[in-house]
Amino acid sequence: MTARGTEADSRAAEEEETSDPAVWNEQEDDRTAETLRWLRDKRRAHQRQRRRDRAVLAYCVVLAVLGYGGGYAFRFLRSLKIGADHGSLGADLQRTLPGAFVVVALALAVLAARDALWRGPVVVSGPSAGWLLAQPVRRGAVLRPAFRMSAVLAVAAGALAATAAAVVLHVTGLASFGGALAALLPAGVCLPLLAVSLGMAVERRSQWARLVRRLTAPAALVLALAAGQTALAFGGHRWAPLEWAELWSGPWGWAAQPVVAVTGGQAPGWPVALVLLAAVTAAAAGYAHRDAAHVPNAQLRGRAATASAVTSGVFALELRAAKLAVLEAGGDAPKRRVRLPAPPHRYLIVVWRDLLALLRMPGRLGRAVAWTAAAAAAVGLGAGPVAERRVLGLAVGLLCGYAAVGALAEPARLETDDARRAAWSPFRLRTLMLHHAIVPAALGALLGLLAAVPYALAGAGWALLLMPLCAAPFAAAAVFGACRGPARTDLLFVGGATPMGGPGPFLFAAWYAAGPLVSVTGLTLVLNPALAHGPDARSVLAAGVMALVLTAGLLFFAGRSASRLVRH
């Protein structure tokens, strides 16, 4: 009797469960259409205002590009035409095509993968992630439009870049504008779509995100090698087997083959490469479109919060806050367990902590090495009798050198992100900031010395003195920037308005970039004559005096700014 009763109860429970109207049934209980329609009605006024804001922003961007950039673009294209008519510029550009496409494709892949660590192609607003996706709606109807919008924007940017490249090929006489545009459009469409698809895969799968973090440094190294190959090809040093392998090794080479063919290069199999490129792009985009509906809710909520924080930081001109939000969401640079013996004196405690932080996060040293190599290359490419090219190369090289030393000064920025963190220190904040400049200056000088070795072997022994001299002013400028404090947005409204705009934005930019602006300008003034006429004892002494003055002045103002932070 008990067994029969138990069996009957179980059957009744099963029938009740199967007939429970609360169970989700996609055919009967789907409320996607009416929910989205209700949201459109409620958001109509907000969306109308957003469209107006975007239209105004687009108008301002187009006006600025045409008004301020049109003259520079015309001059640039005219110089290209003159160089192609009276030199071998066209042939030089044609030789760089295989390596240049590798650089572009790899850069797009790295940017898309890194962007997917904190944002990705599918980003919805916080209310949509927290409320809308919890309703009985189909996820694909909510998430796939965001993916399609990212894909459309990427393709639009790629088509615009292809058009600009077609103009360059036409001006240099390598191809007609129509032929160049037809050859470049497959790359302008397919490579951005592949990058967006890669970003979708990284956003969807956490294991891919961990792989991206591990492979970012090797990818950056490969990117640097590809850029070096492109520079050597521009100078006439080519390796045919490597270029042939690049043209057939993946989408980067398949996209390059029509351009190589239309400019007179050897690419007899470009129709096959074009078919392969289209097939791979269609498959990747279709798979990514299907994948877009399966991003977890928790991940969408976190990305919505990060995107909101980044947007707020950018509009409030607090770029440091936006950067910290991105780094926190990306989970970069796993720390290593490294120990150093305790210092014997308290005046070495800051140096000890900075060295320990650098050893536990070696990615900062890697970035410093990469920026140092870029600085040395920029100075070397700009060296020559042409004054404008020399000054430009020197300025770019010094900016890269500041970035290298600034990567080593991250502990100083962490101290001033919240002044209460400095409570561990036995020193006042201004003294603590001065101590934070020691490690970046010393390691920056060492990196500058290593970067100067190739120049010294080539006969420019002066580089062994001048390059390390730049490290101390850059370290002082980085520490001064760390003590800058909250953004002075009031400077944006200083001065009267004119048809060309007011001086406020320029004053704010000068305040925000005072450290690198002062250090790079001062060093350029003393190093340019040395590069122009050949360095001697007088020019080296002038560079040393300028470096000393810049370091002392920037450290003095860094101490004043640090004291002001504590008072506030």
Side-chain angles (χ1 to χ4, degrees):
M1 191 70 178
T2 306
R4 285 200 199 99
T6 304
E7 185 178 354
D9 292 342
S10 63
R11 280 200 304 269
E14 185 177 352
E15 292 176 359
E16 183 180 357
E17 182 179 354
T18 55
S19 62
D20 187 3
V23 177
W24 163 256
N25 189 320
E26 186 172 349
Q27 284 74 25
E28 299 177 2
D29 300 324
D30 184 13
R31 297 292 183 267
T32 303
E34 63 181 273
T35 302
L36 295 180
R37 185 166 52 251
W38 182 84
L39 278 177
R40 281 195 297 270
D41 294 339
K42 293 296 182 181
R43 291 176 171 176
R44 184 172 291 125
H46 174 65
Q47 293 296 341
R48 190 183 299 115
Q49 184 61 41
R50 288 188 64 185
R51 285 193 293 270
R52 291 174 181 171
D53 294 341
R54 289 173 179 172
V56 172
L57 179 61
Y59 169 76
C60 293
V61 170
V62 171
L63 186 64
V65 169
L66 294 180
Y68 291 97
Y72 293 105
F74 176 77
R75 183 179 179 184
F76 172 73
L77 293 175
R78 185 181 178 188
S79 64
L80 285 181
K81 183 174 179 59
I82 293 175
D85 291 342
H86 300 280
S88 60
L89 180 60
D92 295 339
L93 289 177
Q94 198 277 335
R95 288 194 300 267
T96 64
L97 289 177
F101 271 85
V102 173
V103 171
V104 171
L106 185 56
L108 286 176
V110 171
L111 290 176
R114 296 295 303 181
D115 175 77
L117 293 180
W118 67 276
R119 198 178 66 94
V122 175
V123 178
V124 295
S125 63
S128 296
W131 175 81
L132 179 57
L133 293 177
Q135 306 303 315
V137 297
R138 296 189 305 273
R139 297 176 59 84
V142 179
L143 300 181
R144 282 177 180 148
F147 172 79
R148 289 194 290 267
M149 179 58 69
S150 298
V152 168
L153 291 177
V155 170
L160 184 62
T163 305
V167 172
V168 171
L169 294 181
H170 173 65
V171 168
T172 54
L174 290 175
S176 64
F177 176 75
L181 184 60
L184 284 163
L185 274 181
V189 172
C190 294
L191 292 182
L193 275 180
L194 288 172
V196 172
S197 302
L198 175 62
M200 187 68 254
V202 175
E203 182 180 4
R204 169 71 175 83
R205 296 166 179 82
S206 58
Q207 62 271 23
W208 282 50
R210 291 192 293 268
L211 186 64
V212 167
R213 295 185 187 100
R214 287 198 298 267
L215 295 182
T216 297
L221 179 60
V222 174
L223 184 61
L225 293 176
Q229 177 210 347
T230 305
L232 290 174
F234 185 82
H237 305 284
R238 305 177 67 180
W239 190 24
L242 177 60
E243 293 184 356
W244 183 87
E246 289 173 345
L247 291 177
W248 286 104
S249 58
W252 43 85
W254 303 337
Q257 288 198 36
V259 187
V260 172
V262 80
T263 54
Q266 296 296 322
W270 69 266
V272 178
L274 203 57
V275 172
L276 289 174
L277 178 64
V280 170
T281 303
Y287 189 79
H289 185 266
R290 186 181 64 181
D291 227 16
H294 303 291
V295 182
N297 282 0
Q299 196 161 328
L300 289 172
R301 287 193 293 268
R303 290 167 185 272
T306 303
S308 177
V310 171
T311 304
S312 301
V314 170
F315 278 103
L317 299 177
E318 294 287 355
L319 302 184
R320 174 68 178 172
K323 178 183 176 181
L324 290 177
V326 171
L327 293 179
E328 183 179 356
D332 280 345
K335 296 182 179 180
R336 302 191 178 193
R337 295 185 177 273
V338 180
R339 293 182 178 274
L340 286 177
H345 198 278
R346 70 169 188 164
Y347 286 102
L348 298 176
I349 189 68
V350 180
V351 176
W352 174 77
R353 281 172 59 95
D354 288 352
L355 288 175
L356 191 60
L358 190 61
L359 292 175
R360 289 183 175 179
M361 300 187 72
R364 296 173 185 169
L365 183 59
R367 287 193 291 271
V369 172
W371 281 114
T372 302
V379 174
L381 292 175
V386 182
E388 293 181 356
R389 181 178 177 182
R390 184 178 61 251
V391 173
L392 178 62
L394 180 59
V396 172
L398 290 174
L399 284 174
C400 293
Y402 169 79
V405 177
L408 303 173
E410 186 65 18
R413 301 187 184 98
L414 293 176
E415 297 280 13
T416 55
D417 287 338
D418 186 351
R420 292 172 296 182
R421 292 180 181 175
W424 66 269
S425 172
F427 310 110
R428 293 182 300 172
L429 183 61
R430 62 180 301 158
T431 307
L432 178 63
M433 289 295 106
L434 299 182
H435 285 193
H436 275 306
I438 297 175
V439 170
L443 292 182
L446 179 60
L447 291 177
L449 185 63
L450 294 177
V453 170
Y455 291 95
L457 294 178
W462 52 267
L464 294 174
L465 290 175
L466 294 181
M467 284 190 175
L469 279 177
C470 302
F474 290 156
V479 172
F480 173 70
C483 302
R484 182 174 49 233
R488 290 282 308 278
T489 53
D490 58 295
L491 294 176
L492 292 171
F493 309 100
V494 173
T498 66
M500 299 298 293
F506 299 99
L507 293 176
F508 176 81
W511 171 84
Y512 196 89
L517 185 64
V518 171
S519 57
V520 169
T521 303
L523 292 173
T524 301
L525 291 176
V526 295
L527 292 180
N528 182 46
L531 294 178
H533 307 294
D536 52 12
R538 183 177 180 180
S539 60
V540 173
L541 179 61
V545 172
M546 177 61 75
L548 182 62
V549 171
L550 289 174
T551 303
L554 288 170
L555 287 179
F556 171 75
F557 286 105
R560 287 187 57 184
S561 300
S563 300
R564 193 178 298 114
L565 286 178
V566 176
R567 287 200 302 271
H568 287 173

